[in-house]
Amino acid sequence: MSVAEFLRQRAVEVAVTGSYSLPRWYDCEGKLRTFACRTKRVSPFRMIVDVPVVGKIGERVTSYFEDFGEFQCTISATLKAGFLMELDMTRARRAWMSEKLTWLEKKQKDASIQELRRDARFVPQVSHTFLTLADGSSHPCFVIDVSTAGVAVSSEYDPPVGTPLAVGACVGRVIRKFHNGFAVKFAEKQQRDDLVRLIVRSAALQSA
């Protein structure tokens, strides 16, 4: 199915963070790499996900989302920074998925869930930006979440702990690695109201 066809179908616009792996993507130790992703539009049959590494049409994908569980999927269409996945599941699980999506749609419209503590991590609307290293080179990355103290990202580039770099215009250092990305602690705590502008600024400059 094409993206245009899916956009005409009944689906829920919901952002759920997850992870995925593609065939033939391995780390230096020969282990299958896992990347972060986030849903943009979901139905009980397929979903569009925002990703740091785009797979190829026809490739099989293993994905996991905290709200949905694990899926075996096939990429049916690609976007500049994402792809459309066809979900393999039983009829019973599709029925459960439909109920879950209805609940999530109601939940995201509930203003009370926006009452979060000031320094809580949040998911920016713009998911893609650039890492800039000390030698001036840059690498695209996917923003998992961000707080005033740091940011979690997923990228094809895999820096060691301790690497100094900038995420957008925010300078920091890699302090921790996890299964689908790494955490960067900012050199200086940022103002929450300025964070999104600073994080995505380099991406805007790169595309200008």
Side-chain angles (χ1 to χ4, degrees), residues 52 127-131 139-143 153-156 167-168 182:
S127 301
H128 296 269
T129 188
F130 285 82
L131 306 171
H139 302 269
C141 71
F142 175 87
V143 179
V153 301
S154 185
S155 175
E156 180 179 345
V167 183
F182 53 92

Side-chain angles (χ1 to χ4, degrees), residues 81-116:
F83 45 77
L84 175 63
M85 301 194 303
E86 305 292 325
L87 309 178
D88 294 343
M89 65 176 82
T90 63
R91 181 178 297 180
R93 192 177 182 199
R94 287 196 201 281
W96 173 88
M97 186 77 169
S98 180
E99 293 179 0
K100 183 73 172 182
L101 287 170
T102 299
W103 179 81
L104 284 173
E105 191 173 33
K106 290 180 180 178
K107 180 183 176 184
Q108 69 181 357
K109 293 177 181 177
D110 185 353
S112 66
I113 67 171
Q114 304 302 325
E115 296 299 321
L116 303 174

